[in-house]
Amino acid sequence: MITTNSFMKREFGKKLIEQCIPTWDLTQIIDTGSLRPEGHTTPTVILFGRNQPPVRDALIIVSGIKGEQPQPADLGSGRVWKSILSMAESAPSENEFISVAWVHRSRLARHPWSIGGGGAAELKQRFDEASVRTLRSAIDEIGRTAHTGEDDVYAHAVSDGAALLGVRVSNRSVRHRRGSSRLADP
């Protein structure tokens, strides 16, 4: 299966990862996110497997570390793709573009997945194991919580932004054009 890799981290992939994929005999996951054909901006992943119960306790993951710059016109002749072809069965191994490792199935049983190469997945796992609670358990909302629609206020100096809103700033006082005033924070 070739699909976008966003299911690995986004909420819509949770059921797929925790309910469907554990019942499949996945043999290999290849992160092809660093291969971007011209005009194609969606990072992809290739999942190899069979629609049967898992046979092994581990599978091979080929993780991207970095892409080629500039990307070759023919991705198939590029160094990233050639690395995938030559190293995909050689776990554990690594070069400047990819890392290949055997990963225990249990690590892939919970959403989200972190399969970044070059040690990124292992670092995330160490953080997860050392944490006493998650950010989600400590706050009510995660993400964008306000949108003023006044981008110019954020893109200008304070005095310019204040002028756009009809506010005059001098020392510690703030005065609106209508004449009301209050002290500003120091």
Side-chain angles (χ1 to χ4, degrees), residues 57-79:
D57 289 336
L59 62 129
I60 291 177
I61 294 186
V62 178
S63 304
I65 296 175
K66 71 174 190 175
E68 290 178 72
Q69 297 300 327
Q71 267 202 161
D74 175 18
L75 295 178
S77 64
R79 295 187 306 165

Side-chain angles (χ1 to χ4, degrees), residues 156-179:
H156 296 287
V158 172
S159 58
D160 294 341
L164 285 172
L165 295 173
V167 176
R168 188 178 70 211
V169 178
S170 63
N171 291 342
R172 292 190 60 217
S173 67
V174 176
R175 188 171 302 277
H176 190 271
R177 283 189 185 146
R178 291 190 190 120

Side-chain angles (χ1 to χ4, degrees), residues 115-149:
I115 64 167
E122 292 79 10
L123 179 61
K124 182 190 179 302
Q125 184 176 359
R126 289 181 67 189
F127 278 129
D128 290 345
E129 290 168 356
S131 66
V132 292
R133 66 192 267 204
T134 63
L135 180 59
R136 185 177 301 264
S137 70
I139 61 175
D140 293 328
E141 293 185 30
I142 295 176
R144 187 179 206 171
T145 58
H147 176 69
T148 65

